[in-house]
Amino acid sequence: MSVIEEQILAQIKRYETIIIHRHQRPDPDAFGSQLGLKAILEASFPEKKIYAVGKAVPGLAWMSEDDEFMDEVPDKAYRDALVIVVDTANAPRIDDQRWPNGLEMIKIDHHPNDEPYGDWQWVEAGKSATSTMIYEFYEALKDQGLVMTAKAARLLYIGIVGDTGRFMYSMDKETFRVVSELFGYPFDYEAVLHHMSTISENAAKLSGYVLQNLTILPSGFAYLVLSKALLEEFNLQDSGTAFVVPLPATIDKVKAWAIFEEQDEGNYRVRLRSRSIVINKIANQFEGGGHPMASGAWAQTPQDIERLINILDTALLAQNGVSEDGSGTN
Ligand code: AMP
């Protein structure tokens, strides 16, 4: 156990009100680590008020078994609260910008620590998911009052399944060990996997469109722009398109890829993935960031899209040992 985990528990014990935040546009690990930590703390300290805040995402409402998906928290609750932010590398991406109103703040995350905000930081960029860390936090300190429940175990399992792409990426012995511990709690694993492996009929049709229309460059870089009009045609919104992001990985010659999703404001959310070059530094140049092989960014204009495609294509060509004019370098 590291000192920081003990310091975090000591802070939790000091406060009556604890408000847990996570990032905007949450994914299963953001919700899993947030709601999983909330469930652990509620079971461990029934006398404390524990809140989970941020915008509810209808597509992920199934993760919560409570009627109230996210908590409504009055401003005054922050006055004497401890704030914990999970799974969020950069402060501007924290959902619910009231987080600085708490008395003290703790960051728990598994992204590179590009922005070390908060009074305490427990950041381990090598971890498969923030949900993995939350289980380890419980495990390290169970002798000091932390209690695990089936509800928390289910949420953490969902987070790990989400961030590892159903155990395909960032997997290691430790993550399998944590998953095997989580399997010791009674929840319906198969129902969770079913939820995370099936998509609506419209989504399946969009998947077909993505595979048919992906542009694959000779470097192994692939991309596709999903316009708002197209998403409307498939009756899907940007928040319901996460399932298309891993699809290019099924094509053997694709080494890195970007899916551009047009927003109401006319700009584009960019979802970047790689199994070759490191992409988070490139994402940093476009208001983004994330993991070395899975990042997000923004393109404000079609010119930004072109520029980003160019940078990624050139980086792959360089990695392949081909210079921009097409001649080989090794
Ligand atoms: P996504 O493509 O939205 O699934 O995000 C992939 C990874 O990049 C996740 O770990 C996100 O937290 C991170 N990420 C996405 N968008 C951004 C952004 N604009 N800035 C920093 N990190 C991001």
Side-chain angles (χ1 to χ4, degrees), residues 244-304:
V244 304
V245 182
L247 288 179
T250 57
I251 303 169
D252 55 6
K253 65 180 174 188
V254 172
K255 294 180 177 162
W257 62 102
I259 306 286
F260 298 89
E261 293 170 358
E262 189 182 7
Q263 309 291 300
D264 290 342
E265 298 75 22
N267 57 354
Y268 297 82
R269 175 186 186 184
V270 191
R271 311 187 78 174
L272 293 170
R273 299 293 185 270
S274 173
R275 52 176 159 225
S276 163
I277 51 167
V278 168
I279 49 174
N280 55 353
K281 300 287 169 231
I282 296 173
N284 288 156
Q285 300 171 38
F286 291 82
E287 303 162 64
H291 301 288
M293 300 286 151
S295 300
W298 290 94
Q300 296 303 337
T301 60
Q303 289 75 23
D304 277 351

Side-chain angles (χ1 to χ4, degrees), residues 35 81 87:
L35 300 176
D87 199 42

Side-chain angles (χ1 to χ4, degrees), residues 62 154 157-158 161 166-167 183 185-198:
W62 65 272
R154 173 180 171 274
Y157 177 68
I158 293 170
V161 171
R166 281 180 271 147
F167 309 121
F183 269 42
Y185 295 85
F187 66 89
D188 192 341
Y189 326 106
E190 284 181 15
V192 166
L193 276 185
H194 177 77
H195 242 298
M196 299 180 85
S197 330
T198 52

Side-chain angles (χ1 to χ4, degrees), residues 183-215:
F183 269 42
Y185 295 85
F187 66 89
D188 192 341
Y189 326 106
E190 284 181 15
V192 166
L193 276 185
H194 177 77
H195 242 298
M196 299 180 85
S197 330
T198 52
I199 53 178
S200 68
E201 196 178 345
N202 282 349
K205 287 182 178 156
L206 179 65
S207 301
Y209 177 93
V210 168
L211 290 171
Q212 294 264 4
N213 292 279
L214 198 65
T215 299

